[in-house]
Amino acid sequence: MAKLTTQTLAPDAEGLERAAALLHQGALVAFPTETVYGLGADAGNDRAVARIYEAKGRPSFNPLIVHLADLDAVKDLVVWNDNADAVAQAFWPGPLTLVLPLRDGAKISKLVTAGLDTLAVRMPEAPVARALLHAFGGPVAAPSANRSGQISPTRAAHVLEGLSGRIEAVVDGGPCQVGLESTILGLAGKPTLLRPGGITLDALSETLGARVAERRDTEAISAPGQTRSHYAPRASVRLNATDWDPGEARLGFGAVDCDLNLSPSEDMTEAAANLFEYLHRLDALGAHTIAVSPIPHIGLGVAINDRLSRAAAER
Ligand code: TXA
Ligand code: MG
């Protein structure tokens, strides 16, 4: 892969116009959403999408999420249904991705769906993401802007750590508000939670008026990105630490003495927003192990524990 110079663009009108022009040329542009930074490419351009896989070093069977700014554009790509309507009304724009049947003739590269007959669609809320999607005027395929298997980026600096020299540009919009990837809800058949995230299972079940099923890890992989070892820092990760061993980097939660505290006041929203940044920072200290306090398995804690257990999985 030829080495590129990665430009950092400001999130103003000029920077976003430049970013949109680059996308039209088939370039790769990382940009902030409210969840994590995405690595964007024109979803209709096979070569551009292929370059996402190359830049990330990602297994090519892994399908991508397509980002759009308005509902009519979404409905051009997927077969819409009542469940989709209900959750979109409640949570879009926001940190929720829907998997729906791909429409015949939708102008989406086959590399985006990795050959599946469904498409993952999302309407992000972050103003910079929305402005970029408007400026570009079409679907943008974007996985998280990290090298495959590494921690998701919640700041432009994280993107550059992994992808500098491999992509054309990053739009620096500051830290991401939510800090965890979007919830993925399968709606091609029976509503099924494919990945926990910023919108909780309870909130989705309430909106749909029925308990949403959870995909179990042993089931056939319909969200192939959900391999067990994912979000891996260099250090090994020890979960549910109620005391600290010598030499460990200490990631706390609540009233504990530690190196970095996800949320001293046990605020789950704050903890989610800090999670990836703090894993990055503790990993940079070079400790052999990052030990993490127990996180209550309620609300956003479910998604936080999902990411932590993947970071701790054997690899
Ligand atoms: O918050 C997010 O969702 C971020 C931002 C950038 O939007 N994106 C993100 O993308 O997390 P990525 O590629 O890291 O994760 C996408 C997940 C993968 O686990 C993938 O397997 C799943 O979405 N996925 C994509 N298309 C799918 C489909 N048709 N059926 C089932 N799962 C799908
Ligand atoms: Mg990812």
Side-chain angles (χ1 to χ4, degrees):
M1 214 174 96
K3 185 144 162 75
L4 304 167
T5 304
T6 303
Q7 309 171 43
T8 298
L9 301 172
D12 56 15
E14 193 190 332
L16 293 170
E17 247 167 65
R18 174 87 189 119
L22 283 167
L23 288 173
H24 278 295
Q25 291 161 22
L28 300 182
V29 179
F31 63 98
T33 78
E34 69 278 17
T35 59
V36 300
Y37 274 71
L39 178 55
D42 177 351
N45 179 332
D46 291 321
R47 287 194 54 139
V49 177
R51 287 195 49 218
I52 289 182
Y53 291 108
E54 186 185 30
K56 279 183 69 88
R58 171 181 248 206
S60 56
F61 48 76
N62 211 339
L64 305 174
I65 298 172
V66 160
H67 299 67
L68 296 129
D70 71 278
L71 203 52
D72 287 338
V74 173
K75 291 177 181 173
D76 285 343
L77 299 179
V78 292
V79 182
W80 200 241
N81 61 38
D82 290 347
N83 284 334
D85 218 46
V87 291
Q89 288 227 15
F91 302 111
W92 273 6
L96 175 67
T97 295
L98 303 180
V99 173
L100 287 158
L102 180 65
R103 225 179 235 298
D104 279 345
K107 290 192 179 56
I108 293 293
S109 165
K110 290 265 184 302
L111 281 174
V112 169
T113 53
L116 298 173
D117 55 7
T118 53
L119 180 68
V121 286
R122 158 157 144 73
M123 197 188 287
E125 183 173 27
V128 175
R130 292 186 64 74
L132 176 59
L133 292 169
H134 275 297
F136 177 66
V140 172
S144 51
N146 51 287
R147 293 283 274 276
S148 189
Q150 296 183 355
I151 303 169
S152 291
T154 55
R155 315 194 170 208
H158 301 164
V159 175
L160 291 170
E161 251 169 56
L163 296 175
S164 182
R166 302 173 77 87
I167 65 175
E168 276 80 359
V170 55
V171 179
D172 186 351
C176 301
Q177 294 283 305
V178 177
L180 287 176
E181 297 87 346
S182 60
T183 300
I184 305 182
L185 179 65
L187 288 179
K190 184 166 71 88
T192 306
L193 186 77
L194 300 175
R195 176 174 74 183
I199 305 288
T200 64
L201 182 67
D202 288 345
L204 292 171
S205 299
E206 192 175 313
T207 302
L208 291 175
R211 193 77 201 149
V212 170
E214 282 176 89
R215 183 186 62 84
R216 278 176 283 121
D217 256 332
T218 48
E219 282 175 38
I221 298 181
S222 64
Q226 298 300 81
T227 46
R228 249 173 36 88
S229 168
H230 208 67
Y231 310 102
R234 276 182 291 270
S236 63
V237 176
R238 185 168 74 86
L239 301 179
N240 298 312
T242 50
D243 51 20
W244 312 115
D245 293 337
E248 286 181 330
R250 301 164 301 176
L251 183 58
F253 178 84
V256 292
D257 185 25
C258 54
D259 295 306
L260 288 172
N261 199 319
L262 290 170
S263 175
S265 65
E266 306 194 7
D267 173 341
M268 287 299 184
T269 306
E270 180 185 37
N274 286 332
L275 179 66
F276 290 138
E277 164 70 8
Y278 287 5
L279 284 173
H280 273 281
R281 281 199 217 164
L282 292 178
D283 210 21
L285 299 177
H288 54 83
T289 303
I290 299 172
V292 190
S293 293
I295 313 290
H297 210 64
I298 45 168
L300 273 181
V302 176
I304 294 173
N305 283 320
D306 172 74
R307 303 310 188 273
L308 282 171
S309 68
R310 288 173 205 285
E314 268 180 52
R315 36 192 138 107

